[in-house]
Amino acid sequence: MNTVLAGIVIVFFGMQGIARLTADPAEQHAAAYHFGVSIGEYRKFSALMILGGAGLAAGLVIPPLGIAAAVGLIGLMVIAAGLRYLCQDGAFRVALPLVIAVLTAGYLTTAG
């Protein structure tokens, strides 16, 4: 179960981070403006998603690294949900990062 859950979360964070970093600069600027952050902060957030996914993958071999990555990603998703709430994005868009945080917490409870 741990490996399946880790795989789902790793793929999610990897795909989302890569999609955000490789998006058209105009799309990146629009997203950053929507969330009220700078383009640099938006790109850093996207890079953290990729690094967190990589940390979870490494955690399959080195459990403490996976635990640290999971904790960081849960925090990242709580922040994302808060930003979506502040931007009045609607219930589904607020709930999605919280669902991912719960999945990541599920991985965390089975790690180590």
Side-chain angles (χ1 to χ4, degrees), residues 73-112:
L73 289 171
I74 291 168
L76 203 63
M77 289 297 97
V78 169
I79 291 168
L83 283 173
R84 289 206 172 271
Y85 177 77
L86 291 174
C87 294
Q88 301 176 342
D89 277 351
F92 178 76
R93 290 190 177 261
V94 172
L96 185 59
L98 295 176
V99 169
I100 298 300
V102 168
L103 288 175
T104 307
Y107 162 82
L108 184 60
T109 61
T110 61

Side-chain angles (χ1 to χ4, degrees), residues 36-47:
V37 299
S38 71
I39 187 69
E41 291 168 333
Y42 180 80
R43 289 177 180 156
K44 287 176 190 172
F45 189 91
S46 301

